[in-house]
Amino acid sequence: MKELKENHKGRQFIRPEVCRTYNFGEHGSSLGQFFKQYLEPIKLNEVQVDWKSMDLSYLLEDKYTTHFANIVSEAKPVYGAHMVLKANSIDGDVRIKYNDQSDFENIARQFGIFEEWKDGVPRTAYKGVVVFRYQTRRIFLVGPESLKLLQIKDS
């Protein structure tokens, strides 16, 4: 089944930073193509969370884009070559801008993350931004239109 832009209808989804799914075998629809590199390291959450006691209203659509834009805009920008080394030298969140699919794939390879795009956007992107953890920091890979969509100034 092919996922197309007309299926998206402009919709976005957010995903938790802690995966809610678990892959228990390498045989399936992808025939183990990505299992060792991307799926095998995923571990189930072992920390109990009292979700009912938390205020999750920031996840509602009217608030989430603003919340997300604030987090991305506060991340320290990294430019140029040797992005992994530069990101490692920063305490806290890091923002890296990519120009196109080829640029994204190059950056993704440096960090060892999933490079795949589907229907013109990177997998897991929210408004063109891919978020992942690298060692102790959170990295935001920000697409060319993302800063405008999120109303963030490029610094």
Side-chain angles (χ1 to χ4, degrees), residues 25-75:
E26 63 184 291
H27 301 289
S29 62
S30 68
L31 303 174
Q33 180 181 7
F34 302 113
F35 183 79
K36 288 282 184 205
Q37 186 174 5
Y38 299 110
L39 301 176
E40 188 176 49
I42 296 173
K43 304 297 178 216
L44 289 173
N45 180 32
E46 296 176 350
V47 177
Q48 287 293 330
V49 177
D50 183 9
W51 295 107
K52 291 180 181 180
S53 71
M54 298 177 73
D55 178 10
L56 301 175
S57 63
Y58 73 95
L59 294 173
L60 297 172
E61 186 177 8
D62 61 333
K63 294 180 182 177
Y64 185 74
T65 300
T66 301
H67 168 78
F68 187 71
N70 288 338
I71 293 170
V72 174
S73 67
E74 291 172 7

Side-chain angles (χ1 to χ4, degrees), residues 87-146:
N88 278 336
S89 69
I90 293 174
D91 289 327
D93 295 342
V94 174
R95 182 175 73 230
I96 300 171
K97 189 175 173 185
Y98 64 89
N99 298 312
D100 53 27
Q101 183 174 351
S102 175
D103 194 27
F104 173 86
E105 290 170 351
N106 179 39
I107 296 166
R109 268 191 297 280
Q110 290 177 48
F111 285 96
I113 65 165
F114 202 49
E115 305 168 30
E116 188 176 78
W117 281 45
K118 189 162 191 165
D119 200 25
V121 294
R123 293 281 193 146
T124 76
Y126 176 74
K127 306 245 185 234
V129 179
V130 173
V131 185
F132 65 96
R133 295 265 175 188
Y134 188 77
Q135 297 178 0
T136 60
R137 56 205 46 77
R138 188 167 40 181
I139 310 283
F140 298 94
L141 296 185
V142 181
E145 299 297 315
S146 303

